[in-house]
Amino acid sequence: MRINIYYGGRGLIEDPTIYAINKITEVLEELRVEVVRYNLYEEKKGLNMLPNTLKEADGVILATTVEWMGIGGLLQQFLDACWLYGDKEKISQMYMCPVVMSTTYGEREGKMNLAVAWEILGG
């Protein structure tokens, strides 16, 4: 089994989402699940190609930190690319787990945004 993690934060050291996805990765690897992580801030120029990475995955984790309002631009761009270039047939068979953290507020809205976006994609 393979799980892809798409991290949409900025990669700051104090980002609580990084801590959470590192712990999730540890648990999944203990269960012998292959985990591949994509830091979207490192993949800015290739965001349109990332939907192709969904083909090898059995499930995805969409992780982000709410810094001001909503899920942030990088994760939104990734979801837009999934809509435009993603294999909707494959997405319809995949489960998605949202991980949304915040240092102030807005986690619930961010989680709902990710869930609705995944549903619109057919997942």
Side-chain angles (χ1 to χ4, degrees):
M1 174 177 266
R2 176 176 163 161
I3 301 293
N4 286 359
I5 298 176
Y6 299 93
Y7 167 63
R10 294 187 297 153
L12 302 175
I13 293 172
E14 66 270 6
D15 188 342
T17 305
I18 293 174
Y19 179 79
I21 59 178
N22 285 341
K23 289 297 179 186
I24 291 169
T25 299
E26 285 178 28
V27 171
L28 289 173
E29 287 176 345
E30 281 182 27
L31 297 171
R32 292 183 167 71
V33 173
E34 179 187 358
V35 178
V36 179
R37 179 168 151 186
Y38 297 93
N39 295 320
L40 300 182
Y41 65 91
E42 294 173 349
E43 308 279 343
K44 286 181 186 177
K45 294 183 181 176
L47 278 177
N48 288 340
M49 300 306 292
L50 277 181
N52 292 329
T53 62
L54 294 170
K55 292 179 181 176
E56 298 96 35
D58 298 303
V60 298
I61 295 173
L62 300 178
T64 191
T65 301
V66 174
E67 293 184 19
W68 180 66
M69 187 172 166
I71 61 173
L74 291 173
L75 193 52
Q76 185 64 51
Q77 280 183 279
F78 171 70
L79 292 169
D80 288 346
C82 288
W83 175 256
L84 293 171
Y85 309 114
D87 182 353
K88 307 285 189 322
E89 177 90 22
K90 176 67 177 171
I91 292 172
S92 71
Q93 300 167 9
M94 297 177 75
Y95 288 102
M96 184 275 295
C97 174
V99 175
V100 181
M101 306 289 284
S102 175
T103 55
T104 55
Y105 59 88
E107 299 95 346
R108 187 176 320 142
E109 291 83 2
K111 180 195 151 297
M112 285 179 20
N113 287 345
L114 291 177
V116 168
W118 197 253
E119 186 177 316
I120 290 171
L121 288 171

